[in-house]
C-alpha cells in the first residue's frame, strides 16, 4: 500500500476516500467539534488539551509506542497532538490566522489529512501520558476527538464501524453470531464443563427477570470460551439467579466500539444494549471480562442516559467475584492453581476504571504464586490491543502492534517468570495471544474467571 | 520622552491590569461554563478536599510530575517557577509593607535571579533533542519574556530599589500615579505591562487551566 | 472491491484477501489462497481444519468457536498456528473461503 505516514496502514485508500476532496469537510466537522453545544461530551478536556500544552514532552517519556520505537519523532504523543493543533490554530484561532509561523499553525492539505488519519491510529488512547502530564493534558482525548472528526466525514476503520458497531446493531453482536449458533455454543460449553469437571451445569439463556444478566464480549464465546465457561461455573457455584442472553433478545454483546471512535455510534449501541437489558427486566448487568465495555457502562453512560432510563445496577464481573470470595459465597483453593501467575492491568479497567484491588484480591485468593508485573497499576503499559487495535490486522498492522507495544509487554512478561498471565479484557487477550505467539514466550494467558473456576471448591 | 514616560508609567498600568483582569475572567468563565462532560477521570485520584489540596500544593511547589517522569526539565523549570513565586511574594510584601524593605529587596533579587536563570536554561533545553521539533517560536518568546522581565528587573535595579518602587506602586494603587523618578524603570514597567496584557491569552495562563484539567477532568467531578 | 486471480479465475476479495463469494471457493482456490498466506502445501491436517470450518459455516453462517475447532479436529491451538501461521481466524478461515471473522476474536 501507498506510504502516507509510516511503514504501516490502518486504513486502506478506500477507507481513507483518498480519491475525494476531504479537507473542506474535515474543517466543517472540526468546527462542529469545537462547539460546546454540538460536541458537549468531552468539550472541556478537549479545548483544554488543545490550548494549554506547555510542550514539556513529559508525555513522550512514558509513551509505550514512542519508547519502543526508539523515540521516533512521528510517534511522540505531543507531536501527534500538534498535527491536530496546527489545524486548529490555523483555522479556528486569531493568532493562528494572523501569525501562523509564530504560533505553529499550518494549512491542512489532502496529504497531511492522510497522515493525520493514520497517525491517530497509532495510539491506543491508553492515557498513560495524561496520567503523568503536569497539566493533565490528554493526548489520548485529542486522538479520540480526531477519530470522531474523521468518522463524521466517513473515515473509520471497517473493523470498528461497518463490521463493528453497524454489524452489532444489525445482528445483536459484532461477531455476527446468529441465535442458532449461539445456542449451539452454549450446548457445547455445557458439555465441555461436564467433560472437564465431571459435573453438569445448566447455563441459563434469556431468562426474564433474573437477578444478574451476564453480558460477555461476544468474541469471548468464539475465541476465549474458557472465560465464558469459568463465569458460568462461578455463577453456578454462587447459587444465584442469573442468565446469559441470545441475539433474539436484542444485543447480546457487551462491546461498544463507539468508545474508540464515535460518540454517535457509542450512543446508538449503548441505547440498544440498555433496551435489551430493560426488556429482560434484570436487576444487575454484569459486564464480562471486557475493558472498554466496563468503561462504557460504569462511567460513560452516567451523564449520557438519565437514571430513570437505566433501572439496573452495573457491576464488573471482577467486582462480583471479589465480593463473593470475601463473603464466602464461593470457596476457592489456591493450591488448585499452583503455577506462577502474573496480572496485566488493562488500561480501561485500571487507569480508566479504578479496578486495581479487585483482580489482585481474586488472584491472590485463587493462585498459589501471584507475582506483580513491573510497572503495574496506574503505570501499567498498554498491551497494544486497546482502542480497537486488537482486531485491526490490515497489511502489516499486526507487526506494528508487536514491534511497539507488544515488545515492551513481552519483556515485562519474561521478567516475571510467570507461566500464566491473567487478563480481564478481551482486547488484551487478543493482543497477548499474538504477543505470546510472535515472541515465542513460554507462557499462556488465562481469563480471571477461568482461574477462579479452576480454584473452586465444591 | 515626557509623553512616553507618562503613557508607560501612568496610563498603561491601568490598561494592562484591566486587560489582564478582563482576559482572565473571560478565559476562566470560558472554561467554567463548559457543559458537564462524560466521566473521564484517571485512577487513582485523591477523593477528599485535603487530599486534593495536598496533591496540588506538592505539584505546584515541587513540580513532582517533572521530577518523576521528565527529570531533564525539572531543575530549570523548578528554578523558574520558584523565581516567579518569589517575585509574586516580593510584590505582595512590598505593597503591604508587612515585612522589612530589606527582606522585600532580597525576595525580589532572588526571585529575579531564579526566574532569569531558569528561563534561560529552559530556552537552551528547548533548542535540542525532542523539544526542538515540538517548539514553535511562541514557546521561545514566552520564555524570553520571562527572562527579559527578570533580567531587566535586576539590571535596572527595579527589584532591589524597594523604596522607590514601593512609592510608585502605592501611587498606582491609590490612584495618584506618578511617573517613576528613575527613567530606567520605565523599561521594566513596560515589560511588566506587556506581560500582564499577554498573560491570560497565552499558555502562561496554564496555572488557571490546571484547576479545570485536574479538578474537573482528571480527578472527576462530583455528580 | 479488489479482484484477485486465484487458480485461474478472477475472484473478488476484501482488503485482507478474504474471498467475498463463498460459492466461488473450491480446492484449487484454497491452494491459491494458502499461498497468499505462506502455506506452501495443504496437507491432510490442513484439510481436516478447512473442511470442518466449511461444514460449520454452512450450517450456522459463522466460523466455529476456536475451542470447538480444536476439539473437533483434535489439534491444539498451537498446532493450528503451526498449520496456519496467521492463526485460525486470519489464516485458516481465509483459506477455507469464509468471510473474515469480525468482533473481538
Amino acid at each position: 500500500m501507498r506510504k502516507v505516514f509510516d511503514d504501516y496502514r490502518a486504513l486502506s485508500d478506500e477507507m481513507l476516500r483518498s480519491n475525494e476532496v476531504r479537507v473542506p469537510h474535515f474543517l466543517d466537522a472540526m468546527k462542529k467539534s469545537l462547539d460546546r453545544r454540538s460536541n458537549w461530551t468531552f468539550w472541556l478536556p478537549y479545548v483544554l488539551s488543545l490550548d494549554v500544552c506547555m510542550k514539556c514532552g513529559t508525555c513522550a517519556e512514558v509513551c509505550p509506542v514512542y519508547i519502543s520505537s526508539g523515540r521516533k519523532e512521528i510517534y511522540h504523543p505531543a507531536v501527534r497532538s500538534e498535527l491536530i493543533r496546527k489545524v486548529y490554530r490555523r483555522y479556528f484561532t486569531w493568532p493562528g490566522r494572523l501569525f501562523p509561523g509564530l504560533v505553529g499553525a499550518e494549512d491542512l492539505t489532502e496529504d497531511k489529512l492522510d497522515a493525520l488519519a493514520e497517525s491517530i491510529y497509532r495510539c491506543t488512547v491508553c492515557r498513560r501520558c495524561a496520567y503523568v502530564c503536569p497539566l493533565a493534558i490528554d493526548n489520548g482525548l485529542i486522538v479520540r476527538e480526531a477519530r470522531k472528526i474523521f468518522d463524521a466525514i466517513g473515515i473509520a476503520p471497517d473493523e470498528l464501524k461497518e463490521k463493528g458497531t453497524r454489524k452489532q446493531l444489525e445482528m445483536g453482536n459484532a461477531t455476527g453470531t446468529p441465535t442458532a449458533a449461539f445456542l449451539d455454543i452454549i450446548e457445547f460449553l455445557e458439555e465441555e464443563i461436564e467433560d472437564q469437571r465431571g459435573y453438569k451445569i445448566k447455563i441459563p439463556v434469556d431468562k426474564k427477570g433474573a437477578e444478574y444478566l451476564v453480558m460477555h464480549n461476544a468474541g469471548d464465546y468464539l475465541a476465549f470460551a474458557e472465560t465464558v465457561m469459568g463465569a458460568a461455573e462461578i455463577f453456578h457455584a454462587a447459587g444465584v439467579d442469573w442468565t446469559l442472553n441470545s441475539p433474539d433478545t436484542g444485543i447480546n454483546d457487551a462491546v461498544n466500539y463507539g468508545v474508540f471512535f464515535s460518540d454517535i455510534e457509542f450512543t446508538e449501541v449503548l441505547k440498544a444494549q440498555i433496551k435489551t437489558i430493560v426488556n429482560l427486566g434484570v436487576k444487575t448487568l454484569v459486564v464480562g471480562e471486557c475493558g472498554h465495555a466496563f468503561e462504557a457502562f460504569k462511567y460513560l453512560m452516567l451523564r449520557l442516559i438519565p437514571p430513570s432510563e437505566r433501572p439496573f445496577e452495573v457491576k464488573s464481573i471482577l467486582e462480583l467475584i471479589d465480593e463473593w470470595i470475601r463473603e464466602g459465597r464461593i470457596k476457592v483453593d489456591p493450591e488448585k492453581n499452583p503455577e506462577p501467575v502474573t496480572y496485566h492491568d488493562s488500561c480501561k479497567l485500571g487507569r480508566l476504571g479504578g479496578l486495581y484491588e479487585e483482580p489482585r484480591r481474586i488472584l491472590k485468593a485463587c493462585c498459589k504464586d501471584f507475582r506483580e508485573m513491573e510497572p503495574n497499576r496506574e503505570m501499567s503499559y498498554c498491551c497494544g490491543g486497546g482502542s480497537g487495535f486488537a482486531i485491526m490486522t490490515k497489511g502489516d498492522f499486526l507487526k506494528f502492534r508487536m514491534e511497539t507495544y507488544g515488545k515492551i509487554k513481552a519483556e515485562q512478561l519474561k521478567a516475571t517468570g510467570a507461566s500464566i498471565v491473567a487478563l480481564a479484557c478481551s482486547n488484551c487477550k487478543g493482543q497477548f495471544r499474538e504477543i505470546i505467539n510472535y515472541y515465542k514466550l513460554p507462557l499462556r494467558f488465562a481469563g480471571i474467571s477461568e482461574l477462579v473456576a479452576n480454584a473452586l471448591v465444591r | 520622552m515626557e509623553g512616553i514616560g507618562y503613557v508607560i508609567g501612568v496610563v498603561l498600568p491601568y490598561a494592562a491590569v484591566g486587560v489582564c483582569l478582563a482576559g482572565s475572567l473571560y478565559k476562566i468563565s470560558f472554561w467554567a461554563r463548559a457543559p458537564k462532560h462524560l466521566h473521564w477521570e484517571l485512577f487513582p485520584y485523591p477523593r477528599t478536599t485535603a487530599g486534593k489540596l495536598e496533591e496540588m500544593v506538592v505539584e505546584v511547589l515541587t513540580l513532582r510530575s517533572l521530577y518523576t517522569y521528565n527529570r531533564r526539565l525539572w531543575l530549570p523549570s523548578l528554578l523558574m517557577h520558584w523565581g516567579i513565586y518569589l517575585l509574586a511574594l516580593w510584590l505582595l510584601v512590598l505593597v503591604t509593607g508587612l515585612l522589612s524593605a530589606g527582606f522585600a529587596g532580597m525576595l525580589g533579587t532572588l526571585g529575579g535571579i531564579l526566574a532569569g536563570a531558569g528561563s534561560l536554561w529552559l530556552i537552551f533545553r528547548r533548542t535540542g533533542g525532542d523539544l526542538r521539533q515540538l517548539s514553535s517560536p511562541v514557546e521561545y518568546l514566552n520564555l524570553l519574556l520571562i527572562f527579559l522581565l527578570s533580567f531587566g528587573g535586576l539590571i535596572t535595579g527595579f527589584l532591589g530599589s524597594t523604596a522607590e518602587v514601593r512609592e510608585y506602586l502605592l501611587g498606582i494603587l491609590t490612584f495618584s500615579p506618578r511617573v517613576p523618578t528613575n527613567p530606567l524603570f520605565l523599561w521594566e514597567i513596560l515589560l511588566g505591562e506587556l506581560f500582564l496584557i499577554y498573560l491570560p491569552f497565552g499558555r502562561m495562563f496554564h496555572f488557571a487551566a490546571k484547576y479545570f484539567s485536574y479538578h474537573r477532568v482528571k480527578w472527576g467531578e462530583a455528580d | 472491491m479488489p479482484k484477485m486471480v486465484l487458480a485461474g479465475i478472477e475472484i473478488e476479495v476484501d482488503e485482507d484477501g478474504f474471498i467475498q463469494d463463498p460459492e466461488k471457493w473450491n480446492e484449487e482456490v484454497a491452494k491459491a489462497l494458502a499461498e497468499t498466506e505462506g502455506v506452501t502445501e495443504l496437507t491432510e491436517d490442513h484439510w481436516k481444519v478447512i473442511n470442518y470450518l466449511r461444514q460449520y459455516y454452512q450450517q450456522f453462517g459463522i466460523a466455529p468457536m476456536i475451542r470447538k475447532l480444536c476439539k473437533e479436529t483434535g489439534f491444539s491451538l498451537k498446532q493450528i498456528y503451526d498449520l496456519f501461521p496467521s492463526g485460525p481466524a486470519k489464516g485458516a478461515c481465509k483459506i477455507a473461503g469464509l468471510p473474515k471473522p469480525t468482533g473481538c476474536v
Side-chain angles (χ1 to χ4, degrees), chain A residues 12 174 184 192 195 222, chain C residues 15 56 66-68 71 102:
Chain A
S12 63
D184 176 68
E192 285 291 277
D195 280 1
L222 300 178
Chain C
E15 289 159 332
Y56 193 93
I66 291 174
R67 192 176 170 102
K68 194 163 187 178
K71 182 135 184 173
T102 59

Side-chain angles (χ1 to χ4, degrees), chain A residues 56-63 76-78 128-130 132-134 139, chain B residues 70 134:
Chain A
C56 64
T58 308
C59 45
E61 303 300 322
V62 302
C63 172
H76 191 302
R128 202 171 188 254
C129 62
V132 306
C133 174
N139 296 299
Chain B
N70 196 1
L134 203 56

Side-chain angles (χ1 to χ4, degrees), chain A residues 12 167 174-175 177-178 184 188 192 195-196 217 219 221-222 225-226 229 257 391 393-394 427 433-434 437, chain C residues 1-2 14-16 56 60-68 71-72 77 81 85 90 100 102-105:
Chain A
S12 63
K167 189 161 189 179
T175 55
T177 307
D184 176 68
F188 174 74
E192 285 291 277
D195 280 1
Q196 203 180 340
N217 178 327
Y221 292 99
L222 300 178
E226 298 72 21
M229 286 160 62
Y257 299 154
I391 58 171
T393 51
K394 286 219 164 34
N427 271 355
R433 177 181 61 203
E434 304 302 332
N437 190 44
Chain C
M1 260 324 149
D14 72 3
E15 289 159 332
D16 303 287
Y56 193 93
F60 290 108
I62 187 172
M65 306 162 72
I66 291 174
R67 192 176 170 102
K68 194 163 187 178
K71 182 135 184 173
E72 299 290 335
L77 185 57
Y81 265 100
K90 216 189 164 203
K100 190 185 179 193
T102 59
C104 292
V105 292

Side-chain angles (χ1 to χ4, degrees), chain A residues 178-252:
Chain A
T179 298
F182 181 78
L183 296 176
D184 176 68
I185 289 169
I186 298 300
E187 197 186 315
F188 174 74
L189 292 179
E190 286 173 343
E191 286 164 21
E192 285 291 277
I193 292 171
E194 190 178 355
D195 280 1
Q196 203 180 340
R197 311 278 187 210
Y199 55 80
K200 252 192 153 105
I201 70 168
K202 176 82 197 130
I203 300 180
V205 175
D206 297 346
K207 187 172 175 229
K208 287 209 163 199
E211 184 168 1
Y212 298 105
L213 166 66
V214 182
M215 209 185 261
H216 293 287
N217 178 327
D220 284 3
Y221 292 99
L222 300 178
F224 313 113
E226 298 72 21
T227 297
V228 181
M229 286 160 62
E233 288 180 60
I234 294 165
F235 274 77
H236 182 261
V240 294
D241 177 22
W242 73 290
T243 186
L244 298 175
N245 69 321
S246 74
D248 269 356
T249 60
I251 305 283
N252 74 328

Side-chain angles (χ1 to χ4, degrees), chain A residues 14-151:
Chain A
E14 197 187 331
M15 278 192 272
L16 276 178
R17 300 168 171 268
S18 47
N19 53 351
E20 296 173 26
V21 174
R22 301 151 300 168
V23 168
H25 303 295
F26 182 93
L27 294 176
D28 276 350
M30 186 165 192
K31 188 175 178 191
K32 285 200 191 88
S33 89
L34 292 164
D35 183 280
R36 68 153 66 83
R37 272 171 295 272
S38 71
N39 188 29
W40 63 272
T41 44
F42 297 96
W43 187 80
L44 181 67
Y46 180 37
V47 294
L48 286 169
S49 298
L50 285 178
D51 276 329
V52 283
C53 169
M54 299 304 287
K55 306 195 183 170
C56 64
T58 308
C59 45
E61 303 300 322
V62 302
C63 172
V65 182
Y66 182 66
I67 297 168
S68 59
S69 70
R71 303 177 77 92
K72 272 203 189 118
E73 201 174 281
I74 53 168
Y75 297 139
H76 191 302
V79 169
R80 179 184 297 111
S81 293
E82 278 295 295
L83 297 178
I84 314 269
R85 291 195 187 110
K86 280 174 182 165
V87 178
Y88 161 68
R89 292 190 199 109
R90 184 73 182 107
Y91 297 94
F92 305 102
T93 70
W94 284 111
R97 284 182 189 123
L98 299 173
F99 317 107
L102 187 69
V103 296
E106 273 178 30
D107 287 334
L108 182 64
T109 63
E110 296 290 336
D111 283 344
K112 283 186 200 164
L113 188 139
D114 281 341
L116 177 59
E118 281 293 329
S119 153
I120 55 172
Y121 284 98
R122 298 294 181 280
C123 160
T124 56
V125 195
C126 79
R127 300 180 67 210
R128 202 171 188 254
C129 62
Y131 188 79
V132 306
C133 174
L135 294 177
I137 292 305
D138 199 332
N139 296 299
L141 185 88
I142 291 187
V143 163
R144 190 176 179 278
E145 289 297 320
R147 289 183 180 189
K148 277 163 61 177
I149 298 172
F150 273 105
D151 178 54

